[in-house]
Amino acid sequence: MTGIPARLSIVTLGARDMGALRGFYRTLGWQEMPGADDTWAGFLLGGVLLALAPMGDVTDEAAPGSPQPTGWSGVTLACTVDTRDDVDRVFTAAVAAGATPVAAATDRSWGGRSAFIADPEGNRWEITWGPEAAFDERGALLTWG
């Protein structure tokens, strides 16, 4: 192989409180992988693994010698839903599960609709719908526009 494969396989979130973060994602109804505990947890989401690990461990591996990050990192994760109305429904369900509302659902200039929430660690999630989005049988995004 001469280059980097064009794929996203794992997203790891550093957690200050593993129990709370694991509980939040389970409350969303996401199935935690076998063997999960407060040293590592994972949720398989349409072909991408959302991994959770203690912030200190993530910092030691990915940024040795750096202080642990604080505040929002500028990165957003997205959950693309099937319909425009699903944006509002999923936003409401996520807030009921303990998410912090960041930006209410709104129609966007690019033709879609989205809203933003934050998980208990402040990680930003966009709940989004695009008129051209298509998924495979696992829920993995095939096309966006």
Side-chain angles (χ1 to χ4, degrees):
M1 176 174 22
T2 60
I4 298 173
R7 67 177 70 116
L8 178 63
S9 307
I10 303 170
V11 172
T12 301
L13 300 178
R16 290 167 190 81
D17 183 339
M18 279 290 289
L21 199 57
R22 289 175 62 211
F24 169 74
Y25 287 109
R26 287 191 311 257
T27 300
L28 292 180
W30 295 1
Q31 182 66 44
E32 195 170 44
M33 295 185 69
D37 60 24
D38 282 350
T39 63
W40 182 89
F43 300 84
L44 191 56
L45 309 176
V48 174
L49 177 65
L50 176 65
L52 309 177
M55 182 66 76
D57 294 351
V58 174
T59 302
D60 289 348
E61 290 181 8
S66 297
Q68 291 188 25
T70 60
W72 181 52
S73 66
V75 173
T76 63
L77 306 167
C79 175
T80 304
V81 296
D82 294 325
T83 70
R84 177 184 299 276
D85 291 339
D86 283 346
V87 173
D88 299 82
R89 183 184 59 73
V90 171
F91 176 81
T92 299
V95 170
T100 301
V102 173
T106 187
D107 291 331
R108 302 293 179 184
S109 61
W110 47 266
R113 183 170 180 79
S114 72
F116 286 86
I117 59 164
D119 72 14
E121 296 279 344
N123 298 297
R124 298 309 200 265
W125 280 86
E126 181 179 19
I127 310 302
T128 187
W129 168 82
E132 303 294 324
F135 306 92
D136 71 11
E137 65 282 350
R138 297 179 308 167
L141 189 64
L142 295 174
T143 63
W144 177 249

